[in-house]
Amino acid sequence: MESTYQQSKPQQLLSWVREQKYKLAGATFVASMVGSFILVGRNPYLTGKQKIVQARVYAQGLTLAVIVSLAALDMSDRRKPSIAPRKEPIKQSGPEN
C-alpha cells in the first residue's frame, strides 16, 4: 500500500473512512440526532415527545444511509483483486503425453 504522503487527498480520505468506518457511523448518528433535534425543535406544533421521536427517525434514516454506503464501499474493496505477491510458485501443467 502506498504511503499516506504519496496518496492524493481523495485517496487519503477513502483510506481514513475505511479505517474509521465504525466510529464514523456512530458519530453520524450522534451528530444527526443533535442536528435533527435542532431542526425539529423549531416546529411549535409538536410536543416534546413528538420532537424527540421525529428527531430520532431523521437520525436513523441518515445513519442507515451512511451504513449502506459503508457496506457498498466494503463490498467494492472485497471485489478488487489483491495485488500482494504470491508466496508459492505457480505450477504450470504441461502435456502429460
Side-chain angles (χ1 to χ4, degrees):
M1 182 174 216
E2 292 181 22
S3 156
T4 305
Y5 297 110
Q6 295 173 348
Q7 294 178 343
S8 66
K9 289 292 182 184
Q11 289 173 335
Q12 288 177 0
L13 180 63
L14 279 175
S15 295
W16 182 82
V17 167
R18 285 183 182 105
E19 293 171 5
Q20 306 293 330
K21 59 185 164 188
Y22 299 116
K23 291 179 185 178
L24 183 64
T28 298
F29 179 74
V30 171
S32 62
M33 189 71 183
V34 171
S36 61
F37 191 73
I38 290 171
L39 180 71
V40 172
R42 296 178 183 174
N43 189 343
Y45 301 109
L46 295 177
T47 65
K49 291 180 182 181
Q50 289 174 328
K51 289 177 183 180
I52 291 172
V53 170
Q54 195 68 31
R56 182 185 57 86
V57 169
Y58 290 150
Q60 283 179 332
L62 181 61
T63 304
L64 182 62
V66 168
I67 290 173
V68 167
S69 63
L70 289 173
L73 180 66
D74 190 42
M75 287 174 57
S76 71
D77 286 345
R78 290 176 189 234
R79 288 187 180 157
K80 291 180 185 175
S82 62
I83 305 174
R86 292 180 173 237
K87 295 186 180 190
E88 303 176 9
I90 299 173
K91 298 178 183 177
Q92 296 180 355
S93 60
E96 305 266 331
N97 298 339

